[in-house]
Amino acid sequence: MLDANIKTQLTAYLEKIRQPIELVASLDGSEKAGEMWALLQDIAALSDKVSIRNDGVAPRKPSFAVARAGEPARIRFAGIPMGHEFTSLILALLQVGGHPPKAEASTIEEIRAIPGTFHFETFISLSCHNCPDVVQALNLMAVLNPGISHEMIDGALFQDEVTSRQIMGVPTVLLNGEHFGQGRMLLEEIVGKIDTGALQREAEKISAREPFDVLIVGGGPAGAAAAIYAARKGIRTGVVSERFGGQVLDTLGIENFISVSQTDGPKLAAGLEQHVREYDVDVMDLQRAEALLPGSDGGPSEIRLASGAKLRSQTVILATGARWREMNVPGEKEYRGHGVAYCPHCDGPLFKGKRVAVIGGGNSGVEAAIDLAGVVAHVTVLEFDSILRADAILQKKLFSLANVKVITSALTTEVTGDGKKVNGLVYTDRSSGEAHRVELEGVFVQIGLLPNTEWLKGTIALSPRGEIEIDARGETSLPGVFAAGDVTTVPYKQIVIAMGEGAKASLSAFDYLIRSSVT
């Protein structure tokens, strides 16, 4: 099951296990069960602290649990955790085996103190790059707290259950059988949802902080670059972000980041955060900004957060980025996560053998259609313009696929469903004015970006597209307030450009500080 190189690396990891663990399998006669048993045998052969047995009692087969010898299992994998989830398996082996987790001491103690019984189930796809964060967070919680258990479920392997439970997006998390959350969630975010007092305590801690010299709102490439440049100047620097990494976390292949021939979004985001934390930067993650109150007479500005916390700073850099643009048609919001999706690589495997549509004929839309064509039965691409706008090489690949149909001059007007999931869409032919219906099970929206500036309306100058207007130095219409990245009017929304703009805004903020009479 495992090749020689992986076995060598895994052997080194397993040497960190301190307490004996056992892998308890529940198998059936399927081919996947044979692969799973081979994987468990390979692992057990690499460490004398790992044993395996097959008890066959779990309701989901094939599956296996990871437990300390002599203790009830609280972590289970219903599926073969390879691909993106192989790291989740390694961490589960180490943490169940007593290797200390890499988490804040305060968070660990908070998890251990949570009362109650919580059984989490996470439906994933092995190609999803956001799923491992959720799986690893919940596994860690199960290791730390006897009242918490977690099971990872490969949706492609348990397709009947995915269909019966109307799960059409990953990761989807159930808590005690009820919907808990969908999409990427960090450890602290999950803890905050089940420990209701955690949010208030964190808000009080944040509000108690002294004013910053520069406060960056946003933790994407622009925000990270701004934080590093500010910290290197020796000034008091803070970063407040809704999720560190921003939209980069939802980007899979990155092949145009200069000097790095290929990487992926989660890996780049982790590198950004690691680099920022090497400096004296106060990072406040999982915090959404709700209002900006500009300072007067050179005084500090105030940022109010959704948690109720307040932060003050002599200068502010806005780097809140952008998000996927929605169609804003009937049915889109109603069926989000039930057939309407925005990440084809994550959610594509859930539509295996089904008919889907991709809305948008730019590079993102055509790339999504090409990706999906290898998994689904049929892809319909709908483009508002009279021609596709994707690069010629992508169009050539698209038109070579037999299970793809392209419709141009198409205005999508409605997503339809049966009350539980998508069953089609309606579009208008812009040339003839005729309405048409397409029967399908999934709709992937790929029509560009929308700046995250709703909270700034009426406070700062915005363009007609909602972007923050800046000058060549990153200055906004408010003194002492700067902006950078995809949230601004700077053309070409690219990671490398956002980083440069973040550095520029930080240098401008520092220049503002040294030229202003600030106490």
Side-chain angles (χ1 to χ4, degrees), residues 277-423:
R277 291 185 183 275
E278 289 176 0
Y279 292 91
D280 188 14
V281 177
D282 190 347
V283 178
M284 296 156 280
D285 202 12
L286 304 177
Q287 299 293 329
R288 178 167 56 86
E290 201 169 60
L292 165 64
L293 282 71
S296 58
D297 300 326
S301 296
E302 182 176 283
I303 296 291
R304 293 184 180 176
L305 307 180
S307 65
K310 300 176 183 179
L311 291 165
R312 293 178 296 155
S313 183
Q314 298 294 349
T315 61
V316 173
I317 297 175
L318 302 171
T320 48
R323 63 188 184 277
W324 294 116
R325 185 180 296 274
E326 300 175 356
M327 297 184 293
N328 292 318
V329 300
E332 181 180 15
K333 283 186 170 61
E334 291 84 345
Y335 292 106
R336 181 180 296 165
H338 297 279
V340 175
Y342 300 85
C343 179
H345 194 80
C346 294
D347 298 333
L350 299 178
F351 294 84
K352 183 178 181 180
K354 299 179 180 179
R355 300 176 66 86
V356 304
V358 172
I359 311 301
N363 282 348
S364 295
V366 171
E367 287 174 352
I370 294 170
D371 187 14
L372 289 165
V375 178
V376 304
H378 188 270
V379 182
T380 301
V381 178
L382 292 99
E383 164 58 36
F384 180 83
D385 204 348
S386 59
I387 58 172
L388 297 183
R389 293 168 287 108
D391 294 342
I393 190 171
L394 293 175
Q395 292 193 43
K396 182 178 180 180
K397 174 64 176 176
L398 181 73
F399 286 112
S400 73
L401 301 173
N403 63 337
V404 174
K405 179 181 179 180
V406 176
I407 303 175
T408 56
S409 298
L411 172 63
T412 304
T413 57
E414 183 182 4
V415 176
T416 63
D418 61 6
K420 294 182 178 180
K421 60 182 180 179
V422 167
N423 62 17

Side-chain angles (χ1 to χ4, degrees), residues 214-215 222 226 315-319 460-461 467-485 487-490 497-498 500-512:
V214 59
L215 177 64
T315 61
V316 173
I317 297 175
L318 302 171
I460 202 167
E467 299 165 326
I468 301 173
E469 294 184 344
I470 58 171
D471 63 12
R473 297 170 58 86
E475 295 177 310
T476 70
S477 59
L478 297 175
V481 179
F482 304 82
V487 75
T488 72
T489 50
V490 67
I497 292 174
E501 291 292 307
K504 182 202 298 182
S506 190
L507 293 172
S508 296
F510 180 71
D511 186 65
Y512 175 88

Side-chain angles (χ1 to χ4, degrees), residues 89-303:
L89 172 59
I90 294 174
L91 288 175
L93 296 171
L94 295 181
Q95 291 167 358
V96 172
H99 185 69
K102 291 183 178 180
E104 295 290 338
S106 58
T107 303
I108 291 174
E109 291 307 312
E110 185 178 349
I111 293 170
R112 285 174 172 158
I114 295 174
T117 301
F118 304 89
H119 177 58
F120 290 96
E121 298 167 287
T122 304
F123 286 83
I124 62 99
S125 71
L126 296 179
S127 60
C128 170
H129 53 281
N130 286 327
C131 294
D133 291 326
V134 178
V135 172
Q136 292 163 25
L138 290 169
N139 281 350
L140 175 57
M141 292 173 65
V143 169
L144 296 173
N145 189 317
I148 299 175
S149 59
H150 175 239
E151 183 168 6
M152 181 214 82
I153 306 160
D154 180 2
L157 189 58
F158 294 89
Q159 194 72 45
D160 290 344
E161 189 171 354
V162 166
T163 301
S164 65
R165 289 192 166 188
Q166 304 295 325
I167 293 169
M168 306 191 76
V170 291
T172 291
V173 180
L174 306 181
L175 171 56
N176 297 335
E178 301 294 329
H179 185 271
F180 177 77
Q182 185 172 322
R184 184 176 185 270
M185 291 182 284
L186 299 179
L187 175 63
E188 293 80 6
E189 187 177 359
I190 297 171
V191 172
K193 290 185 72 172
I194 63 174
D195 182 7
T196 54
L199 294 177
Q200 182 177 351
R201 294 193 298 271
E202 184 63 20
E204 292 172 353
K205 291 179 183 178
I206 290 174
S207 295
R209 284 168 165 82
E210 294 295 320
F212 293 96
D213 292 317
V214 59
L215 177 64
I216 298 110
V217 185
I228 290 169
Y229 267 73
R232 288 173 61 87
K233 294 294 185 181
I235 57 179
R236 179 166 162 72
T237 305
V239 175
V240 59
S241 61
E242 192 165 354
R243 58 171 187 162
F244 203 99
Q247 197 189 20
V248 167
L249 290 166
D250 301 323
T251 304
L252 188 64
I254 299 173
E255 298 179 351
N256 58 355
F257 189 65
I258 311 306
S259 83
V260 179
S261 58
Q262 197 281 330
T263 187
D264 59 58
K267 183 176 180 180
L268 178 60
L272 291 175
E273 184 170 6
Q274 180 181 356
H275 196 177
V276 169
R277 291 185 183 275
E278 289 176 0
Y279 292 91
D280 188 14
V281 177
D282 190 347
V283 178
M284 296 156 280
D285 202 12
L286 304 177
Q287 299 293 329
R288 178 167 56 86
E290 201 169 60
L292 165 64
L293 282 71
S296 58
D297 300 326
S301 296
E302 182 176 283
I303 296 291

